[in-house]
Amino acid sequence: MRSETTTQPALSHRPVDERGLPLRALLALATAVFITSLTETLPAGVLPAMSADLGVGESAAGQSVTIYAVGTALTAIPLSAATAGLRRKRLLLAAMAGFAAANSVTAASTAYPLTMVARFVAGVAAGLAWALLAGYARRLAPTHLQGKAIAVVMTGVPVALSLGVPAGTFLGDALGWRVTFSLMTVVAVALIGWIAVVVPEQPGQSRQRRGDRAPMLRALRVPGVVPVLFVTLVFVLAHTILYTYIATFLRHLGMGGSTDLVLLVFGGASMVSIWMVGAHIDRRLRALTVASTLLVAVAAGLLALLADSPALVWVAVALWGLGWGGVPTLLQTAVADAGGDTADAAQAMLVTLWNAAMAGGGVAGGVLLDLFGPTSFPWTVLGLLLPVAAVVIAARAHGFPVRRVNAA
């Protein structure tokens, strides 16, 4: 902001700084996050039925999560660059239309190859959406509330986990998994109308900014960006290995009939987590990230060592949700803070690595399932979280600093 010689011009900026959050618009963006998250993870709750209906094994059906993530990982950065000059609202509407079309095809498909194509297209739509959603939220909010704006939008993730996946699992058991994907189409169409009415338009980047051909390289040279990206890649990989095959893991424990309730507990705990993160992220981003890592590690330890006790499985799932729910908000905020002027490029790389990890988790989980069985999942999660904890703790100056530079 420009410095002034009198106090009056500075006071003229106060109404902007004192604006509240544009909740109607942010909730619409949160619903877009909900759709992308639920579309990606929904197969985890209906995996046995989906695999049986398509005539493939559960590890093959699990690749429906992988191919979605591959679509996002391959397209987030190219689409971000190609559409940088386009208006944001138009792009978001196009992404939601892509979800409606892809989920319609998934619901109707009886062939595994066609289902995988539809899932890939949905992932491409997610790449377009995720490349702009966090930045969209930040631009809609006053500077001192940008972290909270991202937290509001990221509530779409735990809502998808706490309500969407369990509800989809229940409906899949009662009416068939295709009904759940058909309902996703209905939600996407309704959201298109909601966005058109309540979300303000935002311009794309200027031509001068788009002319910078090396934004990713510049972002990688900014202190703190690489540690956040590393944590994103490995933490999401660990989570996805277990979450994608949670129905299979629970069935191995004799709890297959409780999958929807287990996912409900996980999602409910995730909601508590993101509330806590939203309330304290401006002052305690580092502490919250350390706590999230430790909670998921403890949950994995309980599942690895004491899964023969159903009561401890429920405790582990609750701890897992408490640890995981706020992670998207923490990492999106951390990379935006660390990136500074290169925040857009850093966000695009985070989206790419996030979904590369989702894809890798689906593949790695399938390999682990075939070679070692479902008991290998929590041990793998534990092993992956060791370097995550080490990097978070070490990055106390940049990446996960003791005090946020951008805190209000």
Side-chain angles (χ1 to χ4, degrees):
M1 295 176 64
R2 293 192 297 262
S3 60
E4 304 290 347
T5 57
T6 65
T7 59
Q8 184 61 35
L11 290 174
S12 68
H13 290 282
R14 288 178 62 85
V16 174
D17 290 339
E18 293 177 351
R19 285 182 297 127
L21 291 174
L23 285 178
R24 290 198 307 162
L26 292 176
L27 289 175
L29 298 185
T31 306
V33 172
F34 169 85
I35 288 178
T36 63
S37 300
L38 182 53
T39 299
E40 183 165 26
T41 58
L42 188 56
V46 296
L47 199 60
M50 193 174 181
S51 64
D53 202 10
L54 294 174
V56 297
E58 290 185 17
S59 60
Q63 303 317 305
S64 62
V65 175
T66 302
I67 196 67
Y68 179 107
V70 167
T72 303
L74 290 178
T75 59
I77 291 177
L79 282 178
S80 178
T83 62
L86 300 180
R87 301 181 75 82
R88 304 290 92 183
K89 185 172 180 177
R90 186 177 308 170
L91 288 176
L92 187 55
L93 291 171
M96 294 304 104
F99 278 108
N103 283 321
S104 296
V105 173
T106 301
S109 172
T110 58
Y112 179 73
L114 179 59
T115 300
M116 297 297 276
V117 170
R119 294 287 296 168
F120 180 83
V121 171
V124 172
L128 181 59
W130 276 91
L132 62 90
L133 278 167
Y136 211 150
R138 288 172 71 93
R139 293 168 72 181
L140 290 176
T143 302
H144 68 292
L145 293 177
Q146 287 179 345
K148 286 183 171 60
I150 293 178
V152 170
V153 171
M154 289 300 116
T155 57
V157 176
V159 169
L161 298 177
S162 64
L163 300 178
V165 175
T169 302
F170 175 79
L171 288 174
D173 291 340
L175 302 175
W177 64 272
R178 299 180 188 279
V179 173
T180 62
F181 283 97
S182 298
L183 289 175
M184 289 301 299
T185 297
V186 174
V187 174
V189 171
L191 179 59
I192 288 172
W194 187 6
I195 292 171
V197 172
V198 305
V199 177
E201 182 63 273
Q202 290 287 339
Q205 294 179 2
S206 66
R207 184 170 298 177
Q208 181 178 2
R209 288 187 65 190
R210 300 200 309 272
D212 185 354
R213 295 299 182 184
M216 306 299 167
L217 293 178
R218 286 198 302 112
L220 289 173
R221 288 194 286 265
V222 175
V225 170
V226 170
V228 178
L229 294 179
F230 174 86
V231 169
T232 298
L233 178 65
V234 183
F235 205 158
V236 176
L237 177 65
H239 164 78
T240 306
I241 285 173
L242 181 57
Y243 191 84
T244 301
Y245 297 94
I246 188 62
T248 302
F249 181 75
L250 291 172
R251 189 173 61 184
H252 172 76
L253 300 179
M255 298 176 62
S258 301
T259 299
D260 53 348
L261 294 178
V262 168
L263 291 173
L264 183 63
V265 169
F266 173 84
S270 296
M271 290 291 290
V272 174
S273 174
I274 200 167
W275 177 83
M276 294 177 65
V277 165
H280 300 289
I281 190 171
D282 288 333
R283 301 295 181 189
R284 298 182 175 88
L285 185 146
R286 174 181 173 81
L288 289 168
T289 308
V290 172
S292 293
T293 306
L294 293 178
L295 283 169
V296 177
V298 170
L302 289 175
L303 293 175
L305 296 171
L306 301 170
D308 55 338
S309 169
L312 289 179
V313 171
W314 291 102
V315 171
V317 169
L319 293 176
W320 182 16
L322 284 173
W324 177 255
V327 167
T329 301
L330 290 168
L331 296 179
Q332 291 265 10
T333 303
V335 83
D337 286 354
D341 292 338
T342 66
D344 287 346
Q347 291 277 3
M349 286 190 287
L350 182 142
V351 171
T352 296
L353 289 177
W354 186 289
N355 285 278
M358 294 285 289
V363 173
V367 172
L368 288 169
L369 178 62
D370 290 339
L371 293 180
F372 306 109
T375 57
S376 62
F377 297 152
W379 288 109
T380 303
V381 172
L382 269 176
L384 290 171
L385 288 180
L386 290 176
V388 168
V391 171
V392 172
I393 291 170
R396 59 183 295 112
H398 302 285
F400 302 97
V402 175
R403 181 175 177 82
R404 283 185 64 206
V405 175
N406 295 339

mmCIF file of all heavy atoms in Angstrom, residues 242 249 252-253 296-309 312-313 316-317 374-383:
data_model
loop_
_atom_site.group_PDB
_atom_site.id
_atom_site.type_symbol
_atom_site.label_atom_id
_atom_site.label_comp_id
_atom_site.label_asym_id
_atom_site.label_seq_id
_atom_site.Cartn_x
_atom_site.Cartn_y
_atom_site.Cartn_z
ATOM 1 N N LEU A 242 -4.565 -45.356 2.824
ATOM 2 C CA LEU A 242 -5.529 -45.963 3.750
ATOM 3 C C LEU A 242 -6.971 -45.608 3.393
ATOM 4 O O LEU A 242 -7.845 -46.474 3.402
ATOM 5 C CB LEU A 242 -5.218 -45.533 5.179
ATOM 6 C CG LEU A 242 -6.112 -46.108 6.277
ATOM 7 C CD1 LEU A 242 -6.083 -47.644 6.251
ATOM 8 C CD2 LEU A 242 -5.679 -45.599 7.644
ATOM 9 N N PHE A 249 -10.260 -52.478 4.161
ATOM 10 C CA PHE A 249 -9.577 -52.636 5.442
ATOM 11 C C PHE A 249 -10.568 -52.997 6.546
ATOM 12 O O PHE A 249 -10.319 -53.907 7.348
ATOM 13 C CB PHE A 249 -8.843 -51.338 5.783
ATOM 14 C CG PHE A 249 -8.086 -51.384 7.075
ATOM 15 C CD1 PHE A 249 -6.891 -52.073 7.174
ATOM 16 C CD2 PHE A 249 -8.565 -50.724 8.200
ATOM 17 C CE1 PHE A 249 -6.187 -52.114 8.375
ATOM 18 C CE2 PHE A 249 -7.875 -50.762 9.398
ATOM 19 C CZ PHE A 249 -6.679 -51.458 9.486
ATOM 20 N N HIS A 252 -11.789 -56.555 6.323
ATOM 21 C CA HIS A 252 -10.779 -57.483 6.839
ATOM 22 C C HIS A 252 -10.865 -57.591 8.362
ATOM 23 O O HIS A 252 -10.613 -58.660 8.933
ATOM 24 C CB HIS A 252 -9.380 -57.009 6.433
ATOM 25 C CG HIS A 252 -8.263 -57.770 7.058
ATOM 26 N ND1 HIS A 252 -7.889 -59.028 6.638
ATOM 27 C CD2 HIS A 252 -7.436 -57.456 8.098
ATOM 28 C CE1 HIS A 252 -6.883 -59.459 7.375
ATOM 29 N NE2 HIS A 252 -6.589 -58.522 8.264
ATOM 30 N N LEU A 253 -11.249 -56.495 9.017
ATOM 31 C CA LEU A 253 -11.378 -56.498 10.475
ATOM 32 C C LEU A 253 -12.715 -57.041 10.951
ATOM 33 O O LEU A 253 -12.959 -57.107 12.157
ATOM 34 C CB LEU A 253 -11.206 -55.073 11.016
ATOM 35 C CG LEU A 253 -9.879 -54.372 10.737
ATOM 36 C CD1 LEU A 253 -9.893 -52.971 11.334
ATOM 37 C CD2 LEU A 253 -8.697 -55.176 11.279
ATOM 38 N N VAL A 296 -2.529 -38.056 13.130
ATOM 39 C CA VAL A 296 -2.683 -39.094 12.108
ATOM 40 C C VAL A 296 -1.712 -40.235 12.367
ATOM 41 O O VAL A 296 -2.045 -41.414 12.172
ATOM 42 C CB VAL A 296 -2.493 -38.506 10.694
ATOM 43 C CG1 VAL A 296 -2.593 -39.603 9.636
ATOM 44 C CG2 VAL A 296 -3.546 -37.436 10.412
ATOM 45 N N ALA A 297 -0.499 -39.921 12.821
ATOM 46 C CA ALA A 297 0.476 -40.963 13.133
ATOM 47 C C ALA A 297 -0.006 -41.848 14.283
ATOM 48 O O ALA A 297 0.115 -43.077 14.228
ATOM 49 C CB ALA A 297 1.829 -40.336 13.478
ATOM 50 N N VAL A 298 -0.559 -41.241 15.325
ATOM 51 C CA VAL A 298 -1.090 -42.027 16.447
ATOM 52 C C VAL A 298 -2.239 -42.909 15.974
ATOM 53 O O VAL A 298 -2.338 -44.094 16.364
ATOM 54 C CB VAL A 298 -1.555 -41.091 17.581
ATOM 55 C CG1 VAL A 298 -2.332 -41.873 18.636
ATOM 56 C CG2 VAL A 298 -0.352 -40.405 18.222
ATOM 57 N N ALA A 299 -3.105 -42.366 15.128
ATOM 58 C CA ALA A 299 -4.215 -43.160 14.593
ATOM 59 C C ALA A 299 -3.706 -44.362 13.812
ATOM 60 O O ALA A 299 -4.201 -45.487 13.966
ATOM 61 C CB ALA A 299 -5.096 -42.281 13.702
ATOM 62 N N ALA A 300 -2.694 -44.130 12.966
ATOM 63 C CA ALA A 300 -2.128 -45.233 12.190
ATOM 64 C C ALA A 300 -1.502 -46.275 13.111
ATOM 65 O O ALA A 300 -1.613 -47.486 12.864
ATOM 66 C CB ALA A 300 -1.097 -44.699 11.200
ATOM 67 N N GLY A 301 -0.844 -45.818 14.186
ATOM 68 C CA GLY A 301 -0.256 -46.755 15.136
ATOM 69 C C GLY A 301 -1.306 -47.632 15.801
ATOM 70 O O GLY A 301 -1.111 -48.837 15.960
ATOM 71 N N LEU A 302 -2.430 -47.036 16.186
ATOM 72 C CA LEU A 302 -3.504 -47.825 16.782
ATOM 73 C C LEU A 302 -4.058 -48.850 15.795
ATOM 74 O O LEU A 302 -4.304 -50.008 16.166
ATOM 75 C CB LEU A 302 -4.632 -46.894 17.245
ATOM 76 C CG LEU A 302 -4.346 -46.023 18.473
ATOM 77 C CD1 LEU A 302 -5.503 -45.074 18.719
ATOM 78 C CD2 LEU A 302 -4.098 -46.888 19.693
ATOM 79 N N LEU A 303 -4.230 -48.446 14.550
ATOM 80 C CA LEU A 303 -4.752 -49.369 13.544
ATOM 81 C C LEU A 303 -3.752 -50.470 13.211
ATOM 82 O O LEU A 303 -4.140 -51.592 12.858
ATOM 83 C CB LEU A 303 -5.139 -48.608 12.274
ATOM 84 C CG LEU A 303 -6.322 -47.649 12.404
ATOM 85 C CD1 LEU A 303 -6.526 -46.874 11.108
ATOM 86 C CD2 LEU A 303 -7.603 -48.407 12.771
ATOM 87 N N ALA A 304 -2.463 -50.164 13.331
ATOM 88 C CA ALA A 304 -1.438 -51.166 13.038
ATOM 89 C C ALA A 304 -1.296 -52.186 14.162
ATOM 90 O O ALA A 304 -1.107 -53.379 13.907
ATOM 91 C CB ALA A 304 -0.099 -50.479 12.778
ATOM 92 N N LEU A 305 -1.393 -51.714 15.398
ATOM 93 C CA LEU A 305 -1.075 -52.571 16.543
ATOM 94 C C LEU A 305 -2.289 -53.123 17.272
ATOM 95 O O LEU A 305 -2.221 -54.214 17.855
ATOM 96 C CB LEU A 305 -0.215 -51.788 17.543
ATOM 97 C CG LEU A 305 1.165 -51.348 17.040
ATOM 98 C CD1 LEU A 305 1.808 -50.397 18.031
ATOM 99 C CD2 LEU A 305 2.065 -52.551 16.779
ATOM 100 N N LEU A 306 -3.407 -52.370 17.264
ATOM 101 C CA LEU A 306 -4.532 -52.727 18.125
ATOM 102 C C LEU A 306 -5.858 -52.788 17.371
ATOM 103 O O LEU A 306 -6.925 -52.575 17.949
ATOM 104 C CB LEU A 306 -4.635 -51.706 19.276
ATOM 105 C CG LEU A 306 -3.393 -51.586 20.160
ATOM 106 C CD1 LEU A 306 -3.512 -50.391 21.088
ATOM 107 C CD2 LEU A 306 -3.189 -52.874 20.963
ATOM 108 N N ALA A 307 -5.800 -53.116 16.081
ATOM 109 C CA ALA A 307 -7.014 -53.128 15.274
ATOM 110 C C ALA A 307 -7.936 -54.291 15.614
ATOM 111 O O ALA A 307 -9.074 -54.335 15.136
ATOM 112 C CB ALA A 307 -6.656 -53.180 13.777
ATOM 113 N N ASP A 308 -7.464 -55.234 16.454
ATOM 114 C CA ASP A 308 -8.342 -56.332 16.849
ATOM 115 C C ASP A 308 -9.386 -55.884 17.866
ATOM 116 O O ASP A 308 -10.321 -56.628 18.178
ATOM 117 C CB ASP A 308 -7.527 -57.489 17.422
ATOM 118 C CG ASP A 308 -6.628 -57.066 18.580
ATOM 119 O OD1 ASP A 308 -6.318 -55.850 18.679
ATOM 120 O OD2 ASP A 308 -6.246 -57.932 19.376
ATOM 121 N N SER A 309 -9.250 -54.656 18.359
ATOM 122 C CA SER A 309 -10.235 -54.096 19.289
ATOM 123 C C SER A 309 -11.120 -53.104 18.534
ATOM 124 O O SER A 309 -10.654 -52.030 18.146
ATOM 125 C CB SER A 309 -9.529 -53.370 20.440
ATOM 126 O OG SER A 309 -10.456 -52.610 21.195
ATOM 127 N N LEU A 312 -11.022 -49.498 19.820
ATOM 128 C CA LEU A 312 -9.838 -48.716 19.480
ATOM 129 C C LEU A 312 -9.816 -48.335 18.009
ATOM 130 O O LEU A 312 -9.209 -47.321 17.647
ATOM 131 C CB LEU A 312 -8.575 -49.493 19.859
ATOM 132 C CG LEU A 312 -8.321 -49.622 21.365
ATOM 133 C CD1 LEU A 312 -7.058 -50.434 21.634
ATOM 134 C CD2 LEU A 312 -8.205 -48.246 22.010
ATOM 135 N N VAL A 313 -10.472 -49.119 17.163
ATOM 136 C CA VAL A 313 -10.602 -48.725 15.755
ATOM 137 C C VAL A 313 -11.403 -47.430 15.652
ATOM 138 O O VAL A 313 -11.036 -46.508 14.918
ATOM 139 C CB VAL A 313 -11.261 -49.847 14.923
ATOM 140 C CG1 VAL A 313 -11.596 -49.351 13.519
ATOM 141 C CG2 VAL A 313 -10.339 -51.058 14.844
ATOM 142 N N ALA A 316 -9.231 -44.627 16.800
ATOM 143 C CA ALA A 316 -8.231 -44.314 15.778
ATOM 144 C C ALA A 316 -8.833 -43.503 14.639
ATOM 145 O O ALA A 316 -8.228 -42.537 14.152
ATOM 146 C CB ALA A 316 -7.619 -45.606 15.241
ATOM 147 N N VAL A 317 -10.029 -43.884 14.220
ATOM 148 C CA VAL A 317 -10.684 -43.163 13.120
ATOM 149 C C VAL A 317 -10.986 -41.719 13.530
ATOM 150 O O VAL A 317 -10.814 -40.776 12.742
ATOM 151 C CB VAL A 317 -11.970 -43.894 12.692
ATOM 152 C CG1 VAL A 317 -12.799 -43.025 11.753
ATOM 153 C CG2 VAL A 317 -11.613 -45.222 12.015
ATOM 154 N N PRO A 374 -4.449 -55.985 3.493
ATOM 155 C CA PRO A 374 -4.852 -54.684 4.048
ATOM 156 C C PRO A 374 -4.151 -54.301 5.342
ATOM 157 O O PRO A 374 -4.119 -53.113 5.692
ATOM 158 C CB PRO A 374 -6.359 -54.847 4.264
ATOM 159 C CG PRO A 374 -6.606 -56.317 4.314
ATOM 160 C CD PRO A 374 -5.579 -56.938 3.432
ATOM 161 N N THR A 375 -3.570 -55.246 6.071
ATOM 162 C CA THR A 375 -2.874 -54.887 7.310
ATOM 163 C C THR A 375 -1.627 -54.046 7.057
ATOM 164 O O THR A 375 -1.100 -53.413 7.979
ATOM 165 C CB THR A 375 -2.480 -56.142 8.095
ATOM 166 O OG1 THR A 375 -1.667 -56.993 7.267
ATOM 167 C CG2 THR A 375 -3.708 -56.911 8.554
ATOM 168 N N SER A 376 -1.163 -54.015 5.811
ATOM 169 C CA SER A 376 0.036 -53.218 5.488
ATOM 170 C C SER A 376 -0.266 -51.723 5.408
ATOM 171 O O SER A 376 0.659 -50.898 5.479
ATOM 172 C CB SER A 376 0.620 -53.685 4.150
ATOM 173 O OG SER A 376 -0.303 -53.486 3.088
ATOM 174 N N PHE A 377 -1.530 -51.346 5.292
ATOM 175 C CA PHE A 377 -1.866 -49.930 5.096
ATOM 176 C C PHE A 377 -1.418 -49.045 6.259
ATOM 177 O O PHE A 377 -0.714 -48.049 6.041
ATOM 178 C CB PHE A 377 -3.367 -49.760 4.842
ATOM 179 C CG PHE A 377 -3.869 -50.418 3.582
ATOM 180 C CD1 PHE A 377 -5.176 -50.854 3.493
ATOM 181 C CD2 PHE A 377 -3.044 -50.592 2.486
ATOM 182 C CE1 PHE A 377 -5.654 -51.449 2.336
ATOM 183 C CE2 PHE A 377 -3.498 -51.191 1.326
ATOM 184 C CZ PHE A 377 -4.813 -51.631 1.244
ATOM 185 N N PRO A 378 -1.821 -49.318 7.507
ATOM 186 C CA PRO A 378 -1.429 -48.407 8.585
ATOM 187 C C PRO A 378 0.077 -48.359 8.822
ATOM 188 O O PRO A 378 0.612 -47.307 9.178
ATOM 189 C CB PRO A 378 -2.179 -48.942 9.808
ATOM 190 C CG PRO A 378 -2.551 -50.346 9.470
ATOM 191 C CD PRO A 378 -2.748 -50.372 7.992
ATOM 192 N N TRP A 379 0.774 -49.477 8.615
ATOM 193 C CA TRP A 379 2.230 -49.464 8.771
ATOM 194 C C TRP A 379 2.872 -48.553 7.731
ATOM 195 O O TRP A 379 3.840 -47.829 8.031
ATOM 196 C CB TRP A 379 2.789 -50.878 8.640
ATOM 197 C CG TRP A 379 2.491 -51.757 9.815
ATOM 198 C CD1 TRP A 379 1.626 -52.811 9.863
ATOM 199 C CD2 TRP A 379 3.056 -51.648 11.129
ATOM 200 N NE1 TRP A 379 1.597 -53.369 11.108
ATOM 201 C CE2 TRP A 379 2.462 -52.678 11.915
ATOM 202 C CE3 TRP A 379 3.985 -50.789 11.720
ATOM 203 C CZ2 TRP A 379 2.801 -52.859 13.255
ATOM 204 C CZ3 TRP A 379 4.308 -50.972 13.054
ATOM 205 C CH2 TRP A 379 3.721 -51.998 13.808
ATOM 206 N N THR A 380 2.343 -48.571 6.511
ATOM 207 C CA THR A 380 2.869 -47.700 5.464
ATOM 208 C C THR A 380 2.621 -46.236 5.803
ATOM 209 O O THR A 380 3.490 -45.374 5.599
ATOM 210 C CB THR A 380 2.216 -48.041 4.118
ATOM 211 O OG1 THR A 380 2.435 -49.430 3.828
ATOM 212 C CG2 THR A 380 2.781 -47.191 3.000
ATOM 213 N N VAL A 381 1.443 -45.939 6.325
ATOM 214 C CA VAL A 381 1.137 -44.570 6.738
ATOM 215 C C VAL A 381 2.138 -44.089 7.791
ATOM 216 O O VAL A 381 2.667 -42.968 7.706
ATOM 217 C CB VAL A 381 -0.310 -44.485 7.280
ATOM 218 C CG1 VAL A 381 -0.574 -43.107 7.890
ATOM 219 C CG2 VAL A 381 -1.313 -44.770 6.171
ATOM 220 N N LEU A 382 2.402 -44.934 8.772
ATOM 221 C CA LEU A 382 3.370 -44.568 9.806
ATOM 222 C C LEU A 382 4.749 -44.262 9.217
ATOM 223 O O LEU A 382 5.393 -43.270 9.569
ATOM 224 C CB LEU A 382 3.499 -45.703 10.819
ATOM 225 C CG LEU A 382 2.584 -45.675 12.036
ATOM 226 C CD1 LEU A 382 2.792 -46.933 12.876
ATOM 227 C CD2 LEU A 382 2.845 -44.440 12.878
ATOM 228 N N GLY A 383 5.208 -45.120 8.317
ATOM 229 C CA GLY A 383 6.510 -44.915 7.711
ATOM 230 C C GLY A 383 6.601 -43.620 6.930
ATOM 231 O O GLY A 383 7.626 -42.918 6.968
#
